Amino acid sequence: MPPDSKPAALQSKVQPTPAHKDDLAVNFEVQFWGVRGQIATPGKETVRYGGNTSCVEMRVADQCLIFDGGTGLRQLGNSLLSRMPIEAHLFFTHCHWDRIQGFPFFVPAFIPINHIHIYGATASNGSTFKERLSGQMLGPNFPVPIQVMQSKMEFHDLSIEEKECLGNVIIETSFLNYSHRSIGYRITCQGKSVVYATGTKYFPDHLNENLLNLAHHADLVILDAPKVTSNGKNPLAIDWENTPWQISIETAKEAEVKQVVISLHNPEHSDDFLDKVEEKIQSVFSNAILAREGMILSL
C-alpha cells in the first residue's frame, strides 16, 4: 500500500500556539516568493497575486529555510545578496518543473562564501535530487552546468518520517503523494508550527492520513490551490462541487489547524478570478487566505 494512501509586501498575523514568555521572542516569518503552479504567468492580469512559480522562505530563529525552487527562487536569491555570507537550507517537495526551474538562477549558489544545503527524496526512478538538479542544467538545454556553482553545496537525501534538527528548529517529513514522491514538511520551533503541503494526493472517500497527521494542531498550513475541473461550460472554471479544495479544508478542520494559506494558483486564473476563489473558500473556513507574492506571515 502506498505511503500516501492512509507586488508590495503584505503582512498578516497568525495567532501563535500558547507558549512560555521566553518563546515569544523567537522569530518565525513566512514569505511567499512564488505562488503559481505549472508555469510562470507574468502579465497585467496576475499583478496582485503574482506570476512566479512556487517558492516559500521561512526565517525561523537564526535559520534560513527555503521550500521549493520555482521561478520565485531567483527573486529570493537576489534579496539574499544583501545578507551574505549566508547559510540556507533548500527543501524540495518533488522535482516537477514548477518546483525546480528557478534553481539555475539562484545567484547565491554561485558565490563561494555561501553555504547551501539541499534536501529531497529519491525519485521513483531511483535518481537522487542532485542528479535531477544537475540534469536540468546540462546542455543543450542550459549553458551553465551545476559545477559552475561555487558555493559550498551539500546534498541530503531525506529519510522520510525521520526528523531533521537545525538548531532548535525541527523539520518533519511525510509522503503526501507517493507516485510523485511528493513530500510534505512540518517546521516547528518552540511551540510554533508551519506545514508546507503543496503536492498532496486526495481521495474521494477518505482524508489523506499523512497530511492529517502532519498538520495536526499546526498554526499555519500551506495547501494546494483548487485544481481546474471542467464543468462542461467553461474549461477554465472550477467545478466547486467536485474539487479537492473541499477535502483540503475538511482536512484542515479535522486537524484543528489555526490558519490555512492556499497557494500554487492555476496559471489561467486571473487576479479577479482568484478574488472569487478566496471569497468562496472563506465562506467555509473563515481563517483561510490565498497566497500573494511578497506576502509575509508572522507567527
Side-chain angles (χ1 to χ4, degrees), residues 249 253 257-260 278-290:
I249 297 302
K253 290 179 177 179
V257 170
K258 290 185 174 63
Q259 182 166 8
V260 169
E278 185 171 63
E279 182 179 353
K280 180 72 174 182
I281 292 175
Q282 288 177 343
S283 70
V284 296
F285 194 89
S286 60
N287 207 15
I289 57 175
L290 263 61

Side-chain angles (χ1 to χ4, degrees), residues 228-248:
V228 171
T229 307
S230 175
N231 59 11
K233 299 177 182 179
N234 182 352
L236 301 181
I238 293 175
D239 184 352
W240 294 106
E241 300 303 319
N242 297 285
T243 187
W245 77 273
Q246 297 185 38
I247 302 175
S248 298

Side-chain angles (χ1 to χ4, degrees), residues 201-278:
K201 182 176 182 178
Y202 295 102
F203 304 93
D205 57 347
H206 66 279
L207 300 180
N208 187 312
E209 289 292 335
N210 287 358
L211 175 57
L212 193 62
N213 293 333
L214 200 66
H216 186 64
H217 285 175
D219 293 287
L220 173 67
V221 176
I222 302 167
L223 297 172
D224 292 296
K227 299 296 186 291
V228 171
T229 307
S230 175
N231 59 11
K233 299 177 182 179
N234 182 352
L236 301 181
I238 293 175
D239 184 352
W240 294 106
E241 300 303 319
N242 297 285
T243 187
W245 77 273
Q246 297 185 38
I247 302 175
S248 298
I249 297 302
E250 184 181 349
T251 302
K253 290 179 177 179
E254 181 71 19
E256 299 183 61
V257 170
K258 290 185 174 63
Q259 182 166 8
V260 169
V261 177
I262 304 295
S263 191
L264 273 81
H265 311 309
N266 188 280
E268 302 296 340
H269 289 167
S270 67
D271 289 334
D272 291 342
F273 187 85
L274 290 176
D275 287 341
K276 297 176 182 178
V277 172
E278 185 171 63

Side-chain angles (χ1 to χ4, degrees), residues 32-43 45-55 68 70-72 98-99 101 196 225 263-274 291-293:
F32 293 82
W33 293 91
V35 300
R36 291 282 165 177
Q38 303 178 46
I39 190 170
T41 55
E45 294 187 341
T46 60
V47 172
R48 287 189 285 111
Y49 284 86
N52 280 303
T53 52
S54 187
C55 182
D68 278 335
T71 60
D98 58 346
R99 312 303 178 107
Q101 61 194 156
Y196 182 71
S263 191
L264 273 81
H265 311 309
N266 188 280
E268 302 296 340
H269 289 167
S270 67
D271 289 334
D272 291 342
F273 187 85
L274 290 176
R292 294 157 171 83
E293 200 169 303

Side-chain angles (χ1 to χ4, degrees), residues 59-292:
R59 299 181 287 272
V60 189
D62 59 349
Q63 303 290 343
C64 174
L65 313 179
I66 304 168
F67 295 86
D68 278 335
T71 60
L73 183 64
R74 183 190 68 85
Q75 288 184 307
L76 168 55
N78 291 343
S79 78
L80 291 174
L81 297 179
S82 63
R83 304 187 222 166
M84 293 196 304
I86 64 165
E87 182 173 9
H89 299 264
L90 176 52
F91 297 86
F92 287 95
T93 53
H94 56 294
C95 63
H96 285 178
W97 185 235
D98 58 346
R99 312 303 178 107
I100 66 173
Q101 61 194 156
F103 179 74
F105 304 94
F106 185 51
V107 174
F110 291 88
I111 301 174
I113 61 174
N114 296 323
H115 188 179
I116 314 296
H117 300 265
I118 298 174
Y119 304 79
T122 301
S124 56
N125 66 357
S127 64
T128 65
F129 230 93
K130 181 178 182 180
E131 290 171 333
R132 281 168 278 162
L133 291 178
S134 300
Q136 74 164 339
M137 296 178 69
L138 293 176
N141 296 319
F142 199 76
V144 178
I146 196 171
Q147 288 79 10
V148 176
M149 291 179 161
Q150 294 298 302
S151 65
K152 181 180 180 182
M153 195 176 296
E154 295 185 51
F155 286 86
H156 306 266
D157 295 324
L158 287 173
S159 297
I160 305 304
E161 298 184 357
E162 289 188 6
K163 294 181 180 180
E164 296 277 341
C165 295
L166 305 174
N168 62 350
V169 180
I170 299 172
I171 315 290
E172 298 172 83
T173 58
S174 185
F175 276 125
L176 300 182
N177 187 327
Y178 190 68
S179 61
H180 296 159
R181 299 298 195 272
S182 180
I183 301 171
Y185 294 94
R186 182 183 178 106
I187 303 88
T188 302
C189 184
Q190 297 190 14
K192 304 174 185 180
S193 292
V194 173
V195 172
Y196 182 71
T198 60
T200 302
K201 182 176 182 178
Y202 295 102
F203 304 93
D205 57 347
H206 66 279
L207 300 180
N208 187 312
E209 289 292 335
N210 287 358
L211 175 57
L212 193 62
N213 293 333
L214 200 66
H216 186 64
H217 285 175
D219 293 287
L220 173 67
V221 176
I222 302 167
L223 297 172
D224 292 296
K227 299 296 186 291
V228 171
T229 307
S230 175
N231 59 11
K233 299 177 182 179
N234 182 352
L236 301 181
I238 293 175
D239 184 352
W240 294 106
E241 300 303 319
N242 297 285
T243 187
W245 77 273
Q246 297 185 38
I247 302 175
S248 298
I249 297 302
E250 184 181 349
T251 302
K253 290 179 177 179
E254 181 71 19
E256 299 183 61
V257 170
K258 290 185 174 63
Q259 182 166 8
V260 169
V261 177
I262 304 295
S263 191
L264 273 81
H265 311 309
N266 188 280
E268 302 296 340
H269 289 167
S270 67
D271 289 334
D272 291 342
F273 187 85
L274 290 176
D275 287 341
K276 297 176 182 178
V277 172
E278 185 171 63
E279 182 179 353
K280 180 72 174 182
I281 292 175
Q282 288 177 343
S283 70
V284 296
F285 194 89
S286 60
N287 207 15
I289 57 175
L290 263 61
R292 294 157 171 83

